[in-house]
Amino acid sequence: LWFGEIFFFSLFLLVSWALYNKSRYSPRQTASGTPPDTEALSSSFHLPTQDVRYLQGSQVCIIHHEPDGAISQIEPQTEVKERLRLIA
């Protein structure tokens, strides 16, 4: 008989804890605002608007940086050189 009491008490604690965490942390996981437009990204990264549009359209790019963090070069990758294989 007391196994059932312990089970239901533990179940109550776990469900209460899950609901508390959901109510506390779930609003933080939603995105707020609108994504930045191309001009905002261009001014933020000090790049021409054409380069930002090019980066948004490409799947893989290598971005080289200066020692101070500024973008120095962008290399597009037309094909992925290394492919992952599933080894079973």
Side-chain angles (χ1 to χ4, degrees):
L1 179 66
W2 59 278
F3 287 118
E5 293 172 357
I6 293 174
F7 172 77
F8 285 114
F9 181 72
S10 300
L11 180 67
F12 172 75
L13 285 178
L14 288 174
V15 169
S16 300
W17 185 26
L19 291 174
Y20 168 74
N21 282 330
K22 183 178 180 182
S23 67
R24 183 175 178 195
Y25 295 112
S26 66
R28 294 183 188 174
Q29 295 175 357
T30 59
S32 61
T34 58
D37 58 353
T38 307
E39 289 77 23
L41 290 172
S42 174
S43 64
S44 176
F45 290 109
H46 306 289
L47 288 172
T49 307
Q50 179 183 2
D51 288 348
V52 173
R53 286 192 183 121
Y54 178 73
L55 285 170
Q56 289 174 337
S58 62
Q59 289 184 350
V60 178
C61 285
I62 298 175
I63 301 174
H64 299 277
H65 296 273
E66 298 285 336
D68 63 350
I71 295 175
S72 62
Q73 183 182 1
I74 301 171
E75 292 180 22
Q77 296 292 311
T78 55
E79 58 185 59
V80 179
K81 293 180 182 176
E82 296 180 22
R83 297 229 178 230
L84 298 177
R85 291 187 326 179
L86 177 63
I87 301 174

